[in-house]
Amino acid sequence: MNALRSFWNSPIGPKTTHFWGPTFNWSLPIAAAIDTQKPPEAISGNMTTVMCLYSGIFMRFAWVVKPRNIHLMVCHMTNETVQLYQLSRWIRAQRGTELKKEEADE
Amino acid sequence: MATSKLQAFLNHPAGPKTIHFWAPTFKWGISIANIADFAKPPEKLSYPQQIAVTATGLVWSRYSTVITPKNWNLFSVNVAMAGTGIYQLSRKLRQDYFSEKEEAVAKE
């Protein structure tokens, strides 16, 4: 009960915007997780690269902001992981198509 | 005169020496990437990703006006995110649901 009450009244708890912002931010890693099941042609190289930079920066931001927002940090750590995985799939698919073009030219 | 204004900006607690400046600045990258993707065919767009971009954009736009102090940089970047997300969704929805009807009518 005490843990629940301290969460409820926390400076980054559900009565505050510091909770709901990160809560909605989870939609980004969840969307990326859904997209891991799709073929790599559906991945946007632009968006995925930007997401990797964006979550990298916001992990740091969540740590130094006042009040420190671990919820936001964990959300961005998760997003960073999924986005890097998607980026690796995209790069691998790009290399695959380049190799096919070279073989066709020979 | 100009130097002191520049110095005031450079040394601001939310200025370019701090993460409070670079974090919203990098968030613009998401909207810029989305604008670059306006050129992509709608089959290549992702519903989950665009819904996520739109939803976070809308929620953070609202919240950046209720926090103290109001952060107009954060507000504008999230409005842009929601805007580009909504546009991309409309492109994909239009292709998936509205051009099919036209094809069906053409076949009849």
Side-chain angles (χ1 to χ4, degrees):
Chain A
M1 272 317 280
N2 269 338
L4 224 57
R5 194 168 297 147
S6 50
F7 168 66
W8 184 250
N9 292 313
S10 158
I12 57 168
K15 293 196 248 179
T16 75
T17 173
H18 305 288
F19 178 84
W20 293 106
T23 300
F24 270 84
N25 256 5
W26 277 102
S27 63
L28 290 167
I30 289 168
I34 293 170
D35 286 348
T36 57
Q37 303 307 310
K38 291 196 199 154
E41 292 75 44
I43 300 177
S44 161
N46 291 333
M47 186 62 91
T48 312
T49 308
V50 166
M51 285 279 174
C52 292
L53 294 168
Y54 156 77
S55 277
I57 290 224
F58 268 88
M59 281 192 276
R60 166 75 182 157
F61 174 84
W63 183 255
V64 300
V65 79
K66 291 195 171 66
R68 178 162 287 173
N69 199 326
I70 303 291
H71 182 188
L72 189 65
M73 191 180 82
V74 170
C75 171
H76 280 293
M77 285 166 84
T78 312
N79 199 32
E80 185 72 25
T81 311
V82 197
Q83 298 292 344
L84 283 169
Y85 173 60
Q86 285 287 75
L87 193 64
S88 74
R89 290 180 71 218
W90 181 76
I91 290 172
R92 220 170 286 149
Q94 293 289 99
R95 262 205 226 123
T97 41
E98 278 172 26
L99 284 168
K100 279 187 195 163
K101 278 188 196 162
E102 284 172 27
E103 280 172 27
D105 289 339
E106 281 169 20
Chain B
M1 283 290 277
T3 352
S4 59
K5 271 205 170 170
L6 189 63
Q7 276 177 343
F9 168 66
L10 287 174
N11 294 312
H12 193 274
K17 291 189 198 174
T18 74
I19 192 82
H20 302 283
F21 176 85
W22 292 106
T25 304
F26 260 82
K27 205 162 186 184
W28 277 104
I30 294 178
S31 300
I32 292 167
N34 229 4
I35 291 171
D37 285 351
F38 284 172
K40 277 199 161 186
E43 310 83 63
K44 296 251 178 117
L45 299 175
S46 155
Y47 272 127
Q49 189 176 68
Q50 294 303 328
I51 291 171
V53 165
T54 305
T56 36
L58 290 171
V59 172
W60 283 86
S61 300
R62 153 75 181 152
Y63 282 124
S64 51
T65 63
V66 299
I67 53 172
T68 342
K70 292 189 186 179
N71 191 332
W72 295 113
N73 187 17
L74 199 62
F75 175 75
S76 52
V77 72
N78 283 292
V79 167
M81 265 180 79
T84 58
I86 288 171
Y87 178 62
Q88 292 284 59
L89 278 173
S90 76
R91 288 180 66 219
K92 197 163 166 70
L93 285 167
R94 209 174 297 150
Q95 194 197 58
D96 288 351
Y97 296 104
F98 296 105
S99 55
E100 266 180 44
K101 279 188 195 166
E102 286 172 7
E103 281 172 31
V105 168
K107 280 178 194 167
E108 286 174 19

